[in-house]
Amino acid sequence: MNQPSHISRIRQRGITIYTSLESTVPDVIPNDELENILRNTLVGFHCDWPQKTRAKIIRQRICETLGYPVPRSFARTRPKFPSQNFDVYIQVATNLQIWNAEIVPDRRYVLVLVDSVSKKVCNVKVLMGEHIAKYDRTGTLTTKFQASYIEPQEGKNSILVSRLDTKRIRDILPDHKLKVDLSHVSPTSYPTPEQLIPIENLYNSLKTLVGSTFSDPGPSQERRRGDELHRLIERTLGYGHHADPGSFPDIPNQLLEIKLQLEPTIDLGFVLPSGKDILANIPAIGDTAIARHCDVRYAVFRATTDNNTVNLVQLVLVKGEQFFEHFRQFGGRISNRKIQMHLPKSFWNPDADAEDLSN
């Protein structure tokens, strides 16, 4: 018997858009599926009404489409759809304005484009907050969290801080773990119990990279340096090809985030490693939400460069839950009353990748 779809389950359970995310983990619709569902439903929808009325009617239509009862009035919550962890923004121009709220990295943002002439919905995009933030060019959005790299003791070129994964991860891993064959798996695919490598095994593979070198693409090419390390790690773990989701974590299939450190300051961006927020972009396994920030594994590589060659000299592997037991956190949050950013026309290309568009 086929398992019911997310929408069927939502209807059967009778939950609302305000049901807590923790209670609806099995019903959270993955980003790509959510985008396809909303595109198929909303594109072509005529909505020639004043701004507030248009927003209300589109939200009502989204409720109906996803199997939720339509509320008599929409509560002033953040996000607007707590049970699916997304906000809705309706665009008739290329400027995206977010008022009285920070961009939340692991919140989803449903952007609905309305054609200014036909007054019909012509496109829908679903992006994580960390992607949305990349379009800000004003400088008001900067790194939210930072930590200080702690040098290992003399003579130690690699450290496994966390010998065991979080309990949530351990509970879904098979009792007897054989060597995982990832040759036909995409690094960007969702993690499964059969493919997820326990953190100690992960460490044994990654520590072989200490002492490796690769060409330095240049002093201001942090991203390209990071991409080279990303490729090395994929090859070491046995993936048959390179793929970068452009989102957190860097290798979703292993819940692995990669940090390449030429300097002692670790930029963590919008993500607090020890946080217990659920990542809605990675679906649950059964009834278990495995994708919390604290469950992610961090591979932090210390490196040196002579501007020609990057040399990997140290590795620290740690689960997010213990990140600040080893690294010292500093810095604070930045808040903005209004965030306004320009979305390029290419943004609305259905095949465009958010990471490419942010360049």
Side-chain angles (χ1 to χ4, degrees):
M1 182 177 178
N2 292 330
Q3 282 206 334
S5 67
H6 290 97
I7 295 172
S8 297
R9 284 180 56 127
I10 289 168
R11 288 198 177 104
Q12 288 170 7
R13 294 184 62 196
I15 57 180
T16 76
I17 63 170
Y18 302 116
T19 304
S20 70
L21 188 62
E22 279 284 358
S23 304
T24 61
V25 164
D27 308 306
V28 174
I29 304 170
N31 288 4
D32 51 355
E33 185 179 343
L34 178 64
E35 185 173 274
N36 288 333
I37 290 170
L38 295 182
R39 250 191 211 147
N40 291 337
T41 301
L42 294 177
V43 170
F45 180 56
H46 191 271
C47 47
D48 187 12
W49 300 287
Q51 183 178 354
K52 288 188 177 180
T53 303
R54 180 179 59 215
K56 178 181 178 181
I57 291 175
I58 286 180
R59 285 183 205 143
Q60 290 173 338
R61 193 167 179 87
I62 291 174
C63 285
E64 293 167 349
T65 299
L66 300 184
Y68 292 104
V70 177
R72 289 186 177 180
S73 62
F74 286 92
R76 293 186 176 181
T77 60
R78 292 282 187 181
K80 291 294 184 185
F81 286 70
S83 66
Q84 290 290 332
N85 192 31
F86 69 72
D87 266 323
V88 180
Y89 288 87
I90 298 152
Q91 299 295 119
V92 291
T94 57
N95 276 349
L96 171 63
Q97 295 184 0
I98 298 176
W99 285 89
N100 299 320
E102 289 183 336
I103 293 176
V104 180
D106 55 356
R107 181 174 298 166
R108 302 188 294 178
Y109 291 77
V110 174
L111 307 185
V112 180
L113 180 63
V114 177
D115 183 79
S116 58
V117 177
S118 69
K119 310 298 182 185
K120 292 181 179 180
V121 175
C122 57
N123 211 335
V124 177
K125 293 280 277 189
V126 177
L127 292 179
M128 300 303 296
E130 61 180 316
H131 274 154
I132 294 292
K134 294 175 183 178
Y135 293 96
D136 177 73
R137 305 299 188 192
T138 65
T140 57
L141 291 176
T142 59
T143 299
K144 283 182 175 282
F145 299 109
Q146 292 180 319
S148 178
Y149 187 89
I150 307 298
E151 301 287 349
Q153 295 176 354
E154 188 175 349
K156 294 194 87 172
N157 56 11
S158 57
I159 296 176
L160 176 60
V161 176
S162 310
R163 294 203 168 274
L164 293 174
D165 283 296
T166 60
K167 184 178 184 303
R168 191 170 291 209
I169 297 294
R170 297 198 306 273
D171 285 348
I172 65 170
L173 291 173
D175 290 337
H176 301 289
K177 194 72 177 176
L178 302 175
K179 183 173 173 59
V180 180
D181 180 8
L182 300 174
S183 57
H184 300 292
V185 177
S186 171
T188 61
S189 62
Y190 300 135
T192 67
E194 297 75 26
Q195 295 168 1
L196 202 55
I197 302 172
I199 193 167
E200 189 165 12
N201 296 18
L202 197 60
Y203 171 74
N204 289 333
S205 294
L206 296 182
K207 71 179 182 180
T208 64
L209 288 174
V210 174
S212 300
T213 62
F214 56 86
S215 296
D216 191 334
S220 61
Q221 300 296 317
E222 291 87 355
R223 182 174 168 183
R224 288 178 60 192
R225 278 194 295 265
D227 191 57
E228 283 301 315
L229 176 58
H230 194 150
R231 290 173 186 272
L232 276 176
I233 289 173
E234 286 169 336
R235 286 198 291 270
T236 298
L237 296 181
Y239 290 102
H241 68 280
H242 169 64
D244 183 356
S247 61
F248 178 87
D250 292 311
I251 301 182
N253 186 247
Q254 295 302 323
L255 292 178
L256 181 65
E257 179 72 358
I258 303 164
K259 298 293 180 185
L260 176 62
Q261 297 301 127
L262 294 177
E263 300 294 337
T265 298
I266 304 172
D267 288 330
L268 298 168
F270 295 101
V271 175
L272 188 68
S274 56
K276 290 182 167 44
D277 294 333
I278 293 170
L279 287 178
N281 61 318
I282 298 180
I285 293 179
D287 291 339
T288 301
I290 62 169
R292 303 174 303 170
H293 289 154
C294 61
D295 299 309
V296 171
R297 291 83 76 81
Y298 283 77
V300 184
F301 281 89
R302 192 74 159 98
T304 60
T305 182
D306 59 5
N307 295 324
N308 293 309
T309 304
V310 176
N311 180 26
L312 302 178
V313 296
Q314 293 167 344
L315 162 68
V316 176
L317 186 63
V318 59
K319 60 189 174 188
E321 191 174 62
Q322 292 184 293
F323 191 91
F324 294 119
E325 292 179 20
H326 184 81
F327 299 111
R328 181 175 63 85
Q329 181 185 358
F330 62 89
R333 287 183 174 273
I334 295 171
S335 61
N336 301 279
R337 297 303 294 171
K338 174 186 175 183
I339 301 169
Q340 179 171 292
M341 61 201 76
H342 175 76
L343 301 177
K345 289 182 179 179
S346 55
F347 173 91
W348 295 104
N349 180 346
D351 299 320
D353 179 82
E355 183 75 4
D356 294 336
L357 292 174
S358 67
N359 293 327

